């Protein structure tokens, strides 16, 4: 995959996901009659910009496709220029501001789920019933879960107490926990039994060690109900993967090397494109759902941080002083931008190695 194609596809993917996120804010703001000054896709200098004669809203495409915004007076405190305008963001009821703020992440999550339905309809799906073990010649590993007591036709129900019902959940739990011996609850000959200290082959990557699922599972015949159930389970798994990866990062399970920004994600998009449409679609689903979820975290400068302050206002009946909220968001934005720069440099160094 050429660098030019990778960059173009990455820009299109980021641009589209940013667009639908900001469109969520934009359309709900318009529904509630909030004044909008600008709707921008991308950050930094404008490369395309025009002002609607009907609405007086400026629509822009900026140079760097790493974000976007819907500029509404009153977002960061009272604006003297619009002091008498009842349609600024800050003068709308708290419940309306909550919906507008949450809409961007909501649209990303909904789009990710809809795209997951399409993906699930296009690919083979499996359950958790063991159908075939890989041989030592195939894997190159001496350790095998079969040696620990796992048998063909065993239906795995849980890994270390975590319930699994589809292939994706099973492979994820083995990857995350299988670097050490795990307890498997399986259904065998109509009975539920527990296999203690099952050992899986291990793989190392980027300073981390992961378990390797050394068997194939039964394929599932798809109908409408199956596609919807699997799509929902797979989407929920992506959300869980997101918050568990944050937890694992802070607890030391994963190192900083495992964190990626736009540069690293662009490389992953390029790899997915070379593997085909379904691989690219999975990456798009993964980014969209993660983008929605991450934006809901209660971190200053993110949508979740604003939602927290609005929620506090709704409960207490008191609004946070605009200057205080502005300072909190400014500090949060500064820290996020600083972290983004560090991650970008790390990604560039890794790609150059």
């Amino acid at each position: 995959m050429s660098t030019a194609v990778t960059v173009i596809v990455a820009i299109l993917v980021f641009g589209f996901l940013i667009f639908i996120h900001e469109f969520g804010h934009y359309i709900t703001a318009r529904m509630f009659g909030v004044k909008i000054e600008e709707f921008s896709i991308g950050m930094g200098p404008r490369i395309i910009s025009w002002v609607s004669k009907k609405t007086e809203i400026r629509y822009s495409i900026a140079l760097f496709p790493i974000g976007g915004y819907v500029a509404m007076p009153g977002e960061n405190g009272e604006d003297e220029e619009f002091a008498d305008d009842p349609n600024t963001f800050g003068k709308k009821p708290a419940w309306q501001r909550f919906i507008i703020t949450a809409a961007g992440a909501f649209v990303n999550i909904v789009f990710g789920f809809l795209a997951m339905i399409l993906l699930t309809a296009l690919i083979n799906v499996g359950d958790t019933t063991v159908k075939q073990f890989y041989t030592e010649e195939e894997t190159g590993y001496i350790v095998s879960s079969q040696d620990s007591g796992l048998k063909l036709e065993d239906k795995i129900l849980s890994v270390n107490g975590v319930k699994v019902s589809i292939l994706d959940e099973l492979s994820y739990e083995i990857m995350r926990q299988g670097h050490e011996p795990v307890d498997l609850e399986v259904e065998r000959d109509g009975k539920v039994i527990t296999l203690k200290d099952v050992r899986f082959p291990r793989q190392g990557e980027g300073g981390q060690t992961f378990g390797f699922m050394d068997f194939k599972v039964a394929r599932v015949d798809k109908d409408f109900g199956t596609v919807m159930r699997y799509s929902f389970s797979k989407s929920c798994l992506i959300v869980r993967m997101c918050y568990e990866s944050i937890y694992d990062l802070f607890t030391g399970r994963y190192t900083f090397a495992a964190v990626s920004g736009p540069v690293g994600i662009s490389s992953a998009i390029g790899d997915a494109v070379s593997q085909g449409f379904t691989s690219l679609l999975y990456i798009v689903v993964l980014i969209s759902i993660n983008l929605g979820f991450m934006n809901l975290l209660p971190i200053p400068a993110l949508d979740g941080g604003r939602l927290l302050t609005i929620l506090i206002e709704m409960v207490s009946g008191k609004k946070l002083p605009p200057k205080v909220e502005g300072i909190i968001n400014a500090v949060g934005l500064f820290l996020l931008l600083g972290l983004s720069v560090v991650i970008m440099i790390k990604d560039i160094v890794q790609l150059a190695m």
Side-chain angles (χ1 to χ4, degrees):
M1 179 60 58
S2 70
T3 301
V5 173
T6 297
V7 170
I8 291 172
V9 174
I11 289 175
L12 290 175
V13 170
F14 281 126
F16 175 74
L17 295 180
I18 292 167
F19 169 76
I20 63 173
H21 179 94
E22 297 304 328
F23 185 76
H25 295 311
Y26 171 83
I27 196 65
T28 49
R30 292 294 301 272
M31 284 170 53
F32 294 127
V34 176
K35 182 177 180 60
I36 298 174
E37 292 185 285
E38 184 174 5
F39 178 14
S40 176
I41 302 302
M43 307 291 282
R46 303 184 184 104
I47 55 177
I48 300 175
S49 184
W50 70 96
V51 177
S52 169
K53 294 181 179 179
K54 182 179 179 180
T55 63
E56 297 184 344
I57 298 174
R58 177 179 292 278
Y59 298 92
S60 305
I61 298 177
L63 182 60
F64 304 110
I66 57 174
Y69 58 87
V70 178
M72 297 173 283
E75 277 186 285
N76 301 303
E78 292 297 328
D79 192 325
E80 294 183 2
E81 182 182 350
F82 302 97
D84 298 324
D85 191 336
N87 293 319
T88 60
F89 179 83
K91 291 180 180 177
K92 292 295 181 178
W95 68 271
Q96 293 185 6
R97 286 184 276 122
F98 190 93
I99 292 174
I100 294 169
T101 304
F106 176 77
V107 170
N108 277 128
I109 293 171
V110 170
F111 169 77
F113 175 66
L114 295 176
M116 180 65 85
I117 294 174
L118 173 61
L119 177 64
T120 305
L122 292 175
I123 64 175
N124 296 323
V125 295
D127 64 10
T128 62
T129 303
V130 180
K131 282 296 181 182
Q132 179 185 343
F133 287 97
Y134 293 114
T135 65
E136 183 180 329
E137 290 74 21
E138 289 177 301
T139 65
Y141 297 108
I142 299 175
V143 173
S144 168
S145 59
Q146 190 174 18
D147 297 333
S148 298
L150 192 63
K151 296 183 178 181
L152 293 176
E153 301 301 330
D154 281 352
K155 184 175 183 178
I156 301 175
L157 305 177
S158 71
V159 179
N160 274 349
V162 180
K163 299 295 182 182
V164 293
S165 60
I166 64 174
L167 168 61
D168 302 69
E169 293 172 340
L170 175 60
S171 61
Y172 169 68
E173 291 304 330
I174 292 175
M175 180 202 73
R176 183 170 184 263
Q177 302 191 63
H179 63 289
E180 296 179 346
V182 297
D183 294 342
L184 300 181
E185 187 179 58
V186 305
E187 182 181 325
R188 179 184 296 172
D189 299 327
K191 298 179 180 179
V192 176
I193 63 173
T194 299
L195 304 177
K196 294 287 188 178
D197 297 328
V198 177
R199 297 177 64 205
F200 286 94
R202 299 189 301 175
Q203 295 178 320
E205 182 179 339
Q208 283 76 235
T209 304
F210 305 101
F212 173 74
M213 195 175 84
D214 58 349
F215 55 83
K216 297 179 181 180
V217 298
R219 184 179 298 181
V220 175
D221 294 330
K222 292 183 294 185
D223 54 26
F224 178 78
T226 302
V227 170
M228 295 302 294
R229 180 171 65 86
Y230 270 64
S231 298
F232 181 76
S233 296
K234 288 156 74 77
S235 298
C236 290
L237 176 62
I238 289 176
V239 173
R240 184 154 63 88
M241 288 167 59
C242 184
Y243 72 72
E244 286 185 344
S245 64
I246 295 172
Y247 173 81
D248 288 342
L249 181 64
F250 279 100
T251 57
R253 169 73 174 86
Y254 297 152
T255 66
F256 183 70
V259 181
S260 286
V263 174
I265 295 172
S266 297
S267 177
I269 290 173
D271 292 339
V273 171
S274 64
Q275 294 172 26
F277 175 73
T278 54
S279 295
L280 175 61
L281 185 57
Y282 178 73
I283 290 291
V284 171
V285 170
L286 192 66
I287 296 173
S288 188
I289 293 178
N290 272 271
L291 179 61
F293 173 76
M294 291 297 292
N295 262 280
L296 291 177
L297 295 179
I299 299 173
L302 294 181
D303 291 338
R306 293 182 181 274
L307 288 173
L308 180 61
T309 59
I310 296 173
L311 189 61
I312 293 174
E313 175 190 343
M314 293 170 69
V315 173
S316 66
K318 295 182 180 180
K319 200 171 184 179
L320 194 68
K323 288 186 178 180
V324 174
E325 185 175 0
I327 292 173
I328 292 174
N329 286 326
V331 172
L333 181 61
F334 176 78
L335 293 175
L336 284 174
L337 289 175
L339 179 62
S340 298
V341 171
V342 172
I343 293 174
M344 181 178 67
I345 293 173
K346 186 270 299 180
D347 283 345
I348 293 173
V349 170
Q350 284 186 337
L351 287 175
M353 293 175 64

